[in-house]
Amino acid sequence: MCPQLPGVAIFGTSPPVFVIVPALRDKGFRVEAIWGRKLGDVEAAADKLNIPFYTTQIDEVVLRKDVDLIIIFTSPNLHAQISVKALRIGKHVVCDRPGGLNQTEGLRMVRAAAYYPSLLAILAYSLRFLPNMSLLKKLIHEKHIGQIKLCDIRILCGSLLDRNYSWQCDSTMGGGALALLGSNLIDLLSYLGLGRILRVNATLRTLTPATSSIGGIREVTCDDLCVAQLQLSCGVLATLNINTNLHGYTQEVVVCGSRGHLIAQGGDLRGRTIKEEREEVLYIDVEELNSEQSSSSTSPCLTRMHVKGLMRLASYLRDRFSLTSDSGQPPLDISLEPAHFDQGLYIQSVIEALRKSSQTRQWEKVETSDEEGSDSMDSWSSFP
C-alpha cells in the first residue's frame, strides 16, 4: 500500500459505489467511511464493502481527519452541498455526473474549487477514460477522416427508474435520460475536441408516465426520450438520440468527416477513409469481453463501459496522488483526462438550453452563467 495515498470517504450506496470501492482498494487507497441516506442501506453497504464507519450524517464523514478524498455518488440534489463543504475545508472531491441540479449549483461548485486550486475537483464522466474514445480523439486531432462535419450519438437502453418512486422519476431532482445519460454525451463532445455547443434544438418526452409500482399522484415526470440537434462552434452538427424504453444497452458514436468516418460502438472502434474499400477495425475491447464484473450489470446507469471507466478513474486517482519524482509531480497517463468542475457548469448550461428548447419548440442559445448564484455560499458550506 502506497503511504502517500489519501484516506477516502464514499457518499452514496448506488451500484457505482460497489465498483469504485474495490477498484480504489486495488490501487492502494484506504476507504475509511461511507454515507447513505437511509441507515439500513448504508449499514448493508458498509458490511458488504467492509468499510469500518458508516453514517447518515454528512458532516460526520466530511470532518473526519483520516479522510482527504471525498467521492460522491448520491442524487444530484446533494452534489453541490457535499462538494462545497468538502472543498472549503481542504478535501479533494470526485463527484458523479451531472454535477448538481443546475447552473446555480454548478457555479457554486466552481467557485468552491477556486479557493484551493491545488485540490482535486473533478467529475466522474466515465466515457473519457475508455481506450476507444481516447483513440477516437487522437484520430480526430490527426485529421484521419479530414474536417469533421457530423457527430451522431445514439443510446438505446432500458428504463432508468427505480422500482419505487425516487428522485430518478423527477427531472427537477436530477432524473431523466438527458441528465443521467445525455450529460455524459455532452461531455464526450468536448473531450473529442469538436468545439463548444452554441445553439440547440431538442424534444424531450415522457413516454412512460407510470409503471406497475409507480402511478397515481406520484407519476413519472422525467424524460425517458431525448432527441436533439446541437450546433458546435467548429461548424460541426451533433445529433443525440437517447431512448430508455427498450431493454439492454447499446451505444454508438458516429463521426463523419470530409475524408471518411469513424464509429465507436460499445468499447470498440472501426473506421473507413475514402481511400479504403471497406471498414477497418481500429480497436477491439478485449478487456470488456473478459470482464466478469462488467458483464454482471444490467443497469443503463452502470454499463460495461461505465464500469471500465470507473476502474480507469481509480487508476488516474492513484497516479494523481502518487508522488514519485523530485518535483513532486505524479506521472499521469496523458490519455486519462478528467472533467473539472467548470466543465460541469458548461454541461449544465447545455442541459438548461435543451430543456428550454423542448418547451419553446425553437432553437435556443446556450448561455453559461458567470454571475448567477453569486449569493454567499455560507448556506452551502456552514457546519453546525
Side-chain angles (χ1 to χ4, degrees):
M1 181 177 293
C2 181
Q4 294 91 350
L5 297 181
V8 178
I10 304 291
F11 279 86
T13 57
S14 60
V17 170
F18 295 88
V19 173
I20 195 68
V21 169
L24 289 170
R25 284 206 177 108
D26 183 62
K27 303 303 178 183
F29 287 92
R30 307 178 319 277
V31 182
E32 304 287 359
I34 185 171
W35 173 93
R37 187 187 300 273
K38 298 179 180 179
L39 182 59
D41 292 343
V42 70
E43 183 178 8
D47 180 65
K48 185 174 182 178
L49 294 169
N50 194 26
I51 299 175
F53 179 81
Y54 62 88
T55 181
T56 59
Q57 301 299 315
I58 292 176
D59 294 344
E60 289 183 3
V61 175
V62 175
L63 293 173
R64 286 181 66 93
K65 294 182 179 179
D66 57 355
V67 167
D68 291 302
L69 172 60
I70 302 292
I71 297 182
I72 305 167
F73 281 101
T74 67
S75 55
N77 62 302
L78 293 175
H79 288 178
Q81 179 184 358
I82 299 171
S83 296
V84 169
K85 281 186 174 184
L87 289 167
R88 290 290 295 271
I89 61 172
K91 310 279 188 177
H92 302 279
V93 173
V94 177
C95 183
D96 193 19
R97 66 195 191 281
L101 290 174
N102 48 46
Q103 283 198 73
T104 300
E105 295 190 357
L107 186 58
R108 286 179 173 134
M109 294 171 67
V110 169
R111 290 180 172 175
Y115 278 110
Y116 301 101
S118 61
L119 292 176
L120 189 69
I122 64 175
L123 296 165
Y125 281 109
S126 55
L127 293 183
R128 286 173 165 255
F129 294 96
L130 299 179
N132 66 328
M133 295 303 175
S134 176
L135 178 57
L136 177 60
K137 177 179 180 177
K138 179 177 181 291
L139 294 174
I140 290 174
H141 178 73
E142 294 175 350
K143 305 290 185 182
H144 181 73
I145 56 172
Q147 186 67 32
I148 305 303
K149 304 293 184 180
L150 170 70
C151 182
D152 177 60
I153 308 179
R154 298 174 181 268
I155 292 180
L156 306 176
C157 65
S159 175
L160 302 175
L161 303 176
D162 290 331
R163 179 174 177 81
N164 297 316
Y165 188 91
S166 69
W167 63 269
Q168 292 179 324
C169 300
D170 188 346
S171 61
T172 63
M173 293 295 291
L178 175 58
L180 298 179
L181 298 178
S183 59
N184 239 334
L185 305 184
I186 296 168
D187 176 70
L188 182 62
L189 293 172
S190 294
Y191 172 72
L192 295 176
L194 300 180
R196 291 181 70 84
I197 299 170
L198 302 179
R199 300 175 70 238
V200 302
N201 188 6
T203 297
L204 304 177
R205 291 287 185 271
T206 304
L207 301 184
T208 307
T211 68
S212 59
S213 56
I214 302 173
I217 299 177
R218 310 185 82 177
E219 289 191 342
V220 177
T221 60
C222 68
D223 52 280
D224 56 18
L225 175 70
C226 172
V227 180
Q229 295 176 299
L230 316 172
Q231 290 185 354
L232 279 67
S233 58
C234 294
V236 178
L237 174 66
T239 59
L240 307 181
N241 190 325
I242 307 172
N243 186 347
T244 66
N245 292 276
L246 303 171
H247 295 282
Y249 185 95
T250 61
Q251 176 178 300
E252 186 175 73
V253 180
V254 179
V255 181
C256 298
S258 58
R259 294 195 290 110
H261 67 264
L262 296 165
I263 302 176
Q265 193 167 38
D268 303 333
L269 181 66
R270 64 184 193 273
R272 178 182 178 183
T273 65
I274 56 177
K275 297 180 180 180
E276 299 168 337
E277 296 183 357
R278 63 186 65 182
E279 280 189 346
E280 177 185 4
V281 176
L282 302 172
Y283 183 84
I284 296 180
D285 193 354
V286 179
E287 294 180 30
E288 180 180 76
L289 297 176
N290 293 337
S291 175
E292 294 182 2
Q293 185 174 14
S294 65
S295 63
S296 64
S297 173
T298 58
S299 168
C301 284
L302 189 61
T303 63
R304 293 179 177 182
M305 292 183 292
H306 190 30
V307 168
K308 175 181 279 189
L310 290 176
M311 291 180 173
R312 289 173 66 84
L313 172 60
S315 297
Y316 169 84
L317 293 173
R318 186 266 320 274
D319 294 343
R320 170 63 174 78
F321 290 109
S322 296
L323 307 180
T324 58
S325 64
D326 293 337
S327 63
Q329 296 298 321
L332 294 177
D333 183 346
I334 59 174
S335 68
L336 304 182
E337 180 184 332
H340 297 275
F341 279 6
D342 56 347
Q343 173 70 3
L345 176 60
Y346 160 70
I347 291 171
Q348 290 287 1
S349 70
V350 177
I351 290 175
E352 290 181 6
L354 288 166
R355 286 176 174 160
K356 184 177 180 181
S357 173
S358 182
Q359 293 173 351
T360 63
R361 300 182 182 181
Q362 297 178 349
W363 283 88
E364 295 291 344
K365 183 179 179 182
V366 176
E367 297 178 333
T368 303
S369 172
D370 57 359
E371 294 297 332
E372 188 179 2
S374 59
D375 296 337
S376 171
M377 290 187 292
D378 291 343
S379 61
W380 289 85
S381 55
S382 59
F383 293 97

